[in-house]
Structure formats: C-alpha cells, structure tokens
Amino acid sequence: MPESGRTTTKPHIADAPAATARRAGLLVTLVLGGLTALPPLSMDMYLPALPEVTEVLRAPAATVQLTLTACLAGMALGQLVVGPMSDKWGRRRPLLIGMIVYVLATAVCALAPSAGLLIGFRLLQGLAGAAGIVIARAVVRDLYDGVEMARFFSTLMLISGVAPIVAPLIGGQILRITDWRGVFHVLTGVGIVLTLVVWRFLHESLPPERRHAGGVGEALRTMRGLLADRVFTGYMLAGGLAFAVLFAYISASPFVVQEIYGASPQTFSLLFGLNSVGLVAVGQINGRLLVGRVSLDKVLGWGLGIILLASVALLLMTSGVFGEPGLVPVAAGLFVLMSAMGLALPNTQAQALMRTPHAAGSASALLGTSSFLIGAVASPLVGIAGETTAVPMAVVQVSCAVAAIACFLLLCRPWRAAPEPRNA
C-alpha cells in the first residue's frame, strides 16, 4: 500500500526503459484525457440540436430539457456504482463494460422515436459514461501522488478542456449536413474508437493485492469511512460547490449572452470557447508553475477567492448597480470566473484523492457524484426568474462560492497540519 506522505511520482510504467516509459506515459495521458473529455462532448455537442429535437419529436421544451438532466443524473449516480466496482475488480474490466454500454445506449439515442425513449437512453448513456469519469481519476491516483498528481490533473484539464470549446462547434457543423440524430451517430463513433483505444493501450493500474474483496456492504462501509474523514469531505464539498458555479454558467450563459445582451450565436460560441481557453490556460499555470512551489491549499484558496470576487462583480453588474454594463464587462467577469476554475478544480481533486490511497475508486466516485448532483441542483435555479434577467445566475454563483470557501476553511482547516489519511 502506498505511503500516505509520499510526494513523488511512482507510476508502474516507470519500470520500463526511459523512452518506453515516456511513450507509455503519453498514451496514458491521452487515453485518460479522452475518457474525461467524453462527458462534455456528450452534453455540449447536443446543445445546438435542442430546438430541432423539440420540433421533430413534438415534445415540450421542458420535456426535451430532461434529456440533458437524465444524462447528467446518470453520470452522477453511475459513479457510485462503478467506483467501488473498480476497487474490487480492477480498473480495466468495469471501464470496458461501461464503454460498451455507452456505445450501445448512444446508438439507440440516435434511433429514438419519442422523447420518453430518448430520455431513458440518455440516462443509460450517462450511467455508462460515468465509468470513464470515475476510473480516469482512480487510475491517476493509482499511478501518481503528491504534487505530481496535481500536475497530472492539470494536464488532463488541458485535454478535456478542449472538449467544451469544440463540442458546440462540432454539433453546429453536424447540424449543417444532417439532423440531430447525426450528433448521436458521431458520439457512437467516438465511443467505439475510445473503447478500442482503452482495450489496446490502457493496462491495469490496480494490482490484485490492493483490491477490495468485499461486496456492496464493504463498499458502503468504505464510503461511510471516507465521508467521516472531515478533511476529505471538506475538499469534496468545496470542489462540488465550485463545480456548481461552473455549471450555473454553462446552463445560463446561452440565454444571458444571447437573449439578454443580444449577442449572435457566433459571438456566444466565441465567448464560450474563450472562457474555456482561460480555464485550460490557468490550469496549465497551476500544474507547471505553481504546483511544487506553492502549497496546494494556498493555490486552492486563491482560486476560490477569485471565483467569489468574480461572482460578486457579476451580481453587482447584472442587478443594475452600475447601470447597464453591456456585454463586454459581463463577459470579462465570466472569463475571470471560468479561468479561476483552473486553480480550484484540479487542486480539490488532488487534495482529496491524496488522502485515499486505499480506496481511490470509491473516493473518485464520491467526488464525481457530489459535483454532478450539486451542479444538477444549482442548474435549474439560474432560470427561476425567466430569461430576461441574469441575476439568478449570479446569485447562485455567489451562494455556491461562499459555501465552497466555508467548507474549505471550516472542514479542511488549511492553516493546520492535516490529519493522516484513514485506511478503512
């Protein structure tokens, strides 16, 4: 079992000659990056098609919106199942099963004749796609520790961060040559390719002697033990609430930018992509310049503080305190907020997983599920006052940012030496 205090990289691939190890490390990075990019691709490529789905399936807009909610809920709940499975059976088998089910569910979505069937298989798509999210994080925990793990998460952010930039553009281009079903045909193809790559290149990272032999009861006890760890729970909640700030932006920005501030769809796509570039760039600054030189807690604290300041600025602007600010100041506030996520999200994951070498799959499941569930709760609140005001978005963001900082300070207590990780 890994020592809780180590801070250097000990990937299993390091036993190979140097050149082979570098190639293997690059392959692992690309494979894990693809797995973490698949969920935003599944969500964001589909967004431009929502009006067409409403028309073709003759379903109310609220019903079609449930296809997004179902996929999100599936990704949240699926992680609770797949994470403990991967601690018991290893990483490869549950991942390959999940990817195969994802491909089949996505193919059926492309053929769905009704909104009800589409909702059902979007749920299954999310449940299966959760395998990639949770196991990618668990593999990183198996192979890396300390600051190297934080650096790797920042590298994954570079790869997966490209997905939300290009996904709406890809979806829009697909709709130029085919209908909404073509989006799911493309996602099916992506799923097939990624499944083959995982089967060929991603080797098992959890040796048999480190696996859990118990069943559901032990998995639940393990999760209960993780949640009883005050510091782990603090990082989990802080990360989940920061993710809720991000998801409030994703849910509200099409209406805020286009309907309220009158931007064109092309301008919205440009701003959406620019904000994603900011998140990726700051994530790289975090991984390459800050990690190892500045404590992870200090960087995390700065990230959460900047998120709060940007959220407050957005609330003041959207509520009319400064008059009618126009699109440029609001877009600038959103850019700062999104960029600061590059400091907050990778470091909450690294700090939480650093405490759980004994149950990386279960810990990864709790991290992912809490983020998706908190994001799913926050998302509908941004439209509570209709499509004519951005105030609810800013209120949700300020509230979640304040709560994230409170969890970080009260539970993690970064000014103190953290207790030793639990081993049960």
Side-chain angles (χ1 to χ4, degrees):
M1 182 176 295
E3 295 297 327
S4 60
R6 66 180 182 175
T7 57
T8 57
T9 306
K10 290 287 186 180
H12 302 302
I13 56 174
D15 296 333
T20 303
R22 283 194 296 272
R23 287 195 297 270
L26 177 61
L27 284 172
V28 169
T29 302
L30 293 176
V31 173
L32 298 183
L35 292 172
T36 54
L38 190 59
L41 281 177
S42 301
M43 298 291 290
D44 293 343
M45 278 179 62
Y46 177 61
L47 292 177
L50 286 179
E52 183 184 349
V53 175
T54 301
E55 180 180 351
V56 172
L57 297 183
R58 298 182 180 181
T63 300
V64 174
Q65 287 284 350
L66 288 177
T67 61
L68 295 175
T69 304
C71 186
L72 182 65
M75 289 179 183
L77 298 176
Q79 294 182 65
L80 288 177
V81 177
V82 178
M85 285 172 56
S86 74
D87 283 337
K88 180 179 180 180
W89 295 325
R91 313 303 185 200
R92 269 179 60 86
R93 196 189 318 175
L95 177 57
L96 287 170
I97 293 172
M99 291 303 301
I100 292 170
V101 175
Y102 172 89
V103 169
L104 296 175
T106 306
V108 174
C109 286
L111 305 174
S114 66
L117 191 62
L118 181 59
I119 291 170
F121 277 91
R122 283 283 279 177
L123 176 64
L124 182 58
Q125 182 192 42
L127 288 168
I133 307 171
V134 68
I135 291 179
R137 279 194 300 262
V139 170
V140 174
R141 183 61 189 91
D142 293 339
L143 300 181
Y144 299 93
D145 203 351
V147 297
E148 292 299 332
M149 182 165 56
R151 288 196 178 106
F152 199 96
F153 277 127
S154 294
T155 301
L156 284 186
M157 184 169 290
L158 172 63
I159 299 172
S160 62
V162 174
I165 299 174
V166 302
L169 302 177
I170 295 174
Q173 294 305 309
I174 292 173
L175 294 176
R176 290 170 65 93
I177 59 176
T178 184
D179 61 5
W180 65 272
R181 300 181 189 277
V183 174
F184 289 107
H185 289 309
V186 172
L187 286 172
T188 301
V190 171
I192 291 173
V193 170
L194 194 53
T195 302
L196 293 175
V197 170
V198 167
W199 175 75
R200 176 64 180 84
F201 294 111
L202 188 64
H203 303 295
E204 181 58 62
S205 63
L206 186 68
E209 64 271 15
R210 291 174 54 197
R211 298 177 190 176
H212 291 191
V216 176
E218 181 177 343
L220 292 176
R221 285 192 296 272
T222 299
M223 289 188 175
R224 186 169 63 246
L226 291 171
L227 292 174
D229 182 344
R230 168 180 53 78
V231 179
F232 173 84
T233 301
Y235 288 122
M236 180 189 74
L237 292 176
L241 289 161
F243 185 83
V245 176
L246 172 64
F247 210 80
Y249 156 78
I250 293 173
S251 301
S253 59
F255 300 102
V256 171
V257 174
Q258 295 181 84
E259 300 297 329
I260 299 175
Y261 292 100
S264 66
Q266 292 75 23
T267 300
F268 166 70
S269 297
L270 177 63
L271 292 176
F272 193 92
L274 183 63
N275 290 340
S276 298
V277 169
L279 187 154
V280 170
V282 173
Q284 292 310 290
I285 292 173
N286 172 71
R288 297 183 182 276
L289 298 180
L290 300 179
V291 170
R293 296 179 174 88
V294 184
S295 74
L296 297 184
D297 277 336
K298 185 174 290 187
V299 176
L300 173 56
W302 275 105
L304 293 176
I306 295 171
I307 290 170
L308 176 59
L309 291 176
S311 301
V312 171
L314 286 168
L315 179 58
L316 294 175
M317 285 188 286
T318 57
S319 59
V321 171
F322 303 122
E324 293 295 332
L327 177 60
V328 173
V330 172
L334 290 172
F335 177 80
V336 172
L337 183 147
M338 282 286 288
S339 297
M341 294 291 171
L343 299 177
L345 296 182
N347 290 325
T348 53
Q349 293 180 7
Q351 288 288 68
L353 287 173
M354 222 180 297
R355 300 183 58 77
T356 59
H358 55 288
S362 296
S364 178
L366 288 173
L367 290 172
T369 299
S370 62
S371 294
F372 277 92
L373 289 181
I374 296 173
V377 170
S379 177
L381 300 178
V382 301
I384 199 169
E387 302 174 7
T388 60
T389 175
V391 171
M393 176 194 75
V395 169
V396 169
Q397 290 173 332
V398 170
S399 302
C400 291
V402 169
I405 292 175
C407 290
F408 176 56
L409 294 177
L410 297 177
L411 297 177
C412 301
R413 300 175 187 175
W415 59 88
R416 299 182 181 179
E420 288 297 310
R422 295 172 181 262
N423 290 316

